[in-house]
Amino acid sequence: MSEEPAKTVYDELIASPRVLLGPGPSEANARVLKAMTTPMLGYLDAEFVQIMDDTVGLLRRVFGTENSLTLPVSGTGTAGMEAALTNVIEPGDSVVVGVKGYFGERIADIAARCGGVVTRVEAEWGTHIPAEKIAEAVTKVSTPKLVALVHGETSTGILQPLRDAVEIAHQNGALFLADCVTSLGGQPVEMDALGIDIAYSCTQKCLAGPPGLSPISFSERAVEVIRNRKTPIQSFYLDMTLLENYWHGEKRSYHHTVSMSLIYALREALRVVLEEGLDTRYERHEHNARALLAGAKAIGLQPAAEEGYRAPMLTTLRIPDGIDDTIIRQGLITDYGIEIGAGLGIFAGKAWRIGLMGESSNQRNVMLVLNALEKLLIASGHKVEQGTAVHAASQVY
Ligand SMILES: Cc1ncc(COP(=O)(O)O)c(C=O)c1O
């Protein structure tokens, strides 16, 4: 009898369907996935160059800017963060970073790796950073080069106000940077109206695309700072002066092979965003977040983020005493195919993060997750009447 031949290939890739209600990735729009199946073009093919130009034009509208240096860098949101900081900071520069959660920490870490002398302005997790605190820190630094804040802090669910902080930075001669990884496409960013000098984002949250690109934009003032550097930009891959030649130069020149598929995806994602309309899209995010919170509160799940500063795309809920974080999240996946986020950093085991981002922000998902959470909580001994959460949420709709 001959032996069965060793299996040399795996089965065809089939992923289980999931309702993505975590901190990202969120659900990708179907038109975006379809655009990704478009055949490859050469990275300097005139047709592809036109697609790049279209994408940049659409991006400017979503960022609310006319900044010339606007493009998607290869890599996820962290690549945008690295690009922003590596291009602007030189060794010895003073950088003021707002730290009120995990991603503010990451900015402070990368700024220090760039040789920046970092001053941290901290606020308790789950709260925003008041403008007075930022002013106090910035004025203490003799020549601040950059003030950096996370707009939507995904670890805590706080939406940080930016307007006053931008003014404080400019009055003190510094550039202002906003991490808009979670906010872009879900809440207004309005770079030019607010005077934000550098903003970056990602494609996998409120833009409803796959992960892999980080849209970024630099004001003229920020570009001046980059042009006047005394030391070379440490990163070749993220050097904005080289990327600028490829994306915007009169004679486009090769820098690295970009992902055509991801750029097709981003172009389509931005078309979807603008077809819906920015204001309508922001209102949709707010409406669904209100319904989610109403349902959650009705079954005793309290918000972990300060009232008045809650990011509609990411709701953090405190885990009630006696409830096992892992059992509930595992039950959501195995019984309902729903992913929500675990707490990060000091919120680990203490809070859940429910994302209603981009395509995922809809009434069906709000009702699904509330119903499933309620059933699992009841099975864990939480005292609440079946149907309470969905009923409370339906009052909002
Ligand atoms: C506010 C914020 N900044 C930066 C990042 C890093 O982005 P990525 O994971 O896409 O590299 C994230 C990711 O969730 C984020 O939420």
Side-chain angles (χ1 to χ4, degrees):
M1 224 170 80
S2 67
E3 271 184 37
E4 202 185 319
K7 222 173 179 183
T8 53
V9 287
Y10 297 100
D11 293 335
E12 181 189 355
L13 177 71
I14 297 176
S16 300
R18 293 276 189 258
V19 180
L20 293 177
L21 303 181
S26 63
E27 291 164 23
N29 179 281
R31 271 169 54 188
V32 172
L33 295 175
K34 186 165 159 232
M36 292 182 77
T37 64
T38 306
M40 296 307 119
L41 287 166
Y43 53 75
L44 286 174
D45 186 311
E47 270 190 45
F48 185 62
V49 169
Q50 183 58 53
I51 290 166
M52 293 164 68
D53 289 351
D54 297 348
T55 308
V56 166
L58 296 167
L59 256 187
R60 288 195 182 110
R61 287 170 62 189
V62 177
F63 267 128
T65 187
E66 292 185 0
N67 288 341
S68 162
L69 186 52
T70 302
L71 53 87
V73 296
S74 297
T76 60
T78 308
M81 195 187 279
E82 295 249 26
L85 299 169
T86 329
N87 278 268
V88 168
I89 302 173
E90 295 191 64
D93 284 344
S94 295
V95 183
V96 179
V97 182
V99 181
K100 58 182 188 307
Y102 183 90
F103 292 102
E105 283 289 354
R106 184 171 293 190
I107 293 180
D109 179 345
I110 298 176
R113 287 166 190 252
C114 295
V117 178
V118 175
T119 301
R120 298 159 61 98
V121 193
E122 300 191 4
E124 210 177 301
W125 281 49
T127 67
H128 78 293
I129 309 178
E132 307 76 61
K133 260 189 113 171
I134 298 167
E136 197 187 306
V138 174
T139 46
K140 269 195 196 144
V141 173
S142 64
T143 46
K145 174 99 170 260
L146 180 71
V147 176
L149 288 182
V150 177
H151 189 204
E153 178 46 84
T154 329
S155 58
T156 63
I158 286 288
L159 191 69
Q160 171 72 36
L162 301 178
R163 191 180 294 276
D164 292 347
V166 176
E167 259 180 43
I168 293 162
H170 289 172
Q171 280 162 4
N172 289 276
L175 295 173
F176 184 84
L177 175 154
D179 174 316
C180 301
V181 168
T182 284
S183 54
L184 191 74
Q187 281 293 280
V189 167
E190 296 182 277
M191 279 192 86
D192 289 359
L194 292 186
I196 298 167
D197 294 293
I198 309 165
Y200 57 84
S201 187
C202 72
T203 40
Q204 75 272 17
K205 299 190 197 245
C206 293
L207 295 183
L213 291 178
S214 177
I216 193 165
S217 185
F218 292 80
S219 69
E220 279 312 310
R221 195 197 317 229
V223 170
E224 265 309 295
V225 166
I226 298 174
R227 294 210 200 294
N228 291 328
R229 284 178 68 104
K230 296 187 181 62
T231 56
I233 296 161
Q234 183 274 331
S235 167
F236 179 90
Y237 201 65
L238 298 173
D239 182 329
M240 292 308 301
T241 63
L242 302 177
L243 286 168
E244 187 179 28
N245 280 340
Y246 175 52
W247 280 86
H248 300 304
E250 227 163 83
K251 186 176 171 326
R252 310 281 181 128
S253 47
Y254 164 76
H255 176 257
H256 70 273
T257 308
V258 292
S259 163
M260 283 81 217
S261 315
L262 290 175
I263 291 168
Y264 300 152
L266 177 57
R267 181 180 180 279
E268 194 58 24
L270 295 167
R271 273 170 30 82
V272 172
V273 168
L274 291 167
E275 270 174 29
E276 178 176 7
L278 291 172
D279 290 340
T280 311
R281 195 172 178 89
Y282 303 149
E283 169 53 31
R284 171 165 63 83
H285 280 81
E286 287 161 23
H287 193 202
N288 291 318
R290 271 199 303 279
L292 175 69
L293 197 55
K297 279 181 171 172
I299 53 169
L301 298 177
Q302 295 307 324
E306 185 185 2
E307 190 170 3
Y309 299 92
R310 291 181 189 140
M313 60 290 279
L314 198 277
T315 299
T316 42
L317 297 171
R318 295 195 185 279
I319 301 173
D321 288 343
I323 296 294
D324 186 306
D325 167 29
T326 319
I327 289 177
I328 302 289
R329 279 187 300 107
Q330 198 51 50
L332 284 172
I333 286 278
T334 51
D335 300 352
Y336 301 93
I338 299 175
E339 178 185 273
I340 65 165
L344 254 191
I346 64 166
F347 277 178
K350 299 200 173 75
W352 288 313
R353 295 182 297 154
I354 305 187
L356 292 172
M357 301 178 174
E359 206 65 13
S360 293
S361 171
N362 60 54
Q363 183 171 348
R364 182 196 62 158
N365 285 346
V366 170
M367 294 310 197
L368 276 177
V369 72
L370 285 173
N371 177 55
L373 252 181
E374 186 183 83
K375 284 202 168 122
L376 290 164
L377 285 168
I378 290 172
S380 284
H382 193 61
K383 296 274 175 281
V384 54
E385 206 175 310
Q386 179 93 41
T388 307
V390 164
H391 176 73
S394 67
Q395 303 294 305
V396 175
Y397 285 116

